[in-house]
Amino acid sequence: QVQLVESGGGSVQAGGSLRLSCAFVGVPDRRPYYMAWFRQRPGREREEVAIRARDGTTDVTDSVKGRFTISTDNAENTLSLQMDSLEPEDTAMYYCAASWELSNPRLPQSYSSWGQGTQVIVSS
């Protein structure tokens, strides 16, 4: 069983940067098809922020394009989310997730492993 352990959240002023990390603890039987960051803003449903597929391709949602970057280390033991030019609308609980299914990677229900979440607060 793989556990996902997040770190790096915090409070920052608008325009600032944060880097979130997600450590994959344990050895999976096989590499996940997708690794992703989701967020849940107050009063809203959990939404996809950035996805990294097994083949290395990445995608970020339009609202963070050009500001957020998803990456892993060479061993794929740590998933990161570099967040620059943060805006108050980015305030949310951020979750990393992994999926071993070939289903829609933009949907939270496609992911079977989740981190505990890390809070990001951006003040204006």
Side-chain angles (χ1 to χ4, degrees):
Q1 181 99 18
V2 175
Q3 288 186 313
L4 308 184
V5 181
E6 297 144 352
S7 60
S11 297
V12 65
Q13 288 193 323
S17 298
L18 284 172
R19 186 177 182 87
L20 306 183
S21 294
C22 175
F24 281 56
V25 180
V27 180
D29 294 336
R30 51 195 171 95
R31 293 167 60 214
Y33 284 112
Y34 300 106
M35 302 161 71
W37 287 96
F38 284 78
R39 69 184 179 186
Q40 189 157 14
R41 292 183 278 186
R44 301 193 187 188
E45 294 185 350
R46 195 168 295 191
E47 61 181 351
E48 160 252 342
V49 176
I51 299 167
R52 185 185 184 279
R54 180 189 277 188
D55 64 1
T57 57
T58 61
D59 188 32
V60 296
T61 195
D62 286 345
S63 63
V64 307
K65 201 156 287 186
R67 301 188 297 119
F68 290 13
T69 305
I70 187 172
S71 63
T72 66
D73 63 355
N74 288 339
E76 295 188 345
N77 291 330
T78 302
L79 180 71
S80 297
L81 184 69
Q82 178 66 38
M83 305 187 294
D84 299 318
S85 302
L86 282 159
E87 303 170 354
E89 293 72 25
D90 297 318
T91 294
M93 186 71 80
Y94 284 73
Y95 300 89
C96 63
S99 172
W100 282 265
E101 299 176 12
L102 279 175
S103 50
N104 189 336
R106 299 185 184 278
L107 300 178
Q109 53 264 41
S110 297
Y111 294 81
S112 56
S113 293
W114 289 86
Q116 79 283 5
T118 185
Q119 182 72 51
V120 171
I121 298 173
V122 184
S123 58
S124 57

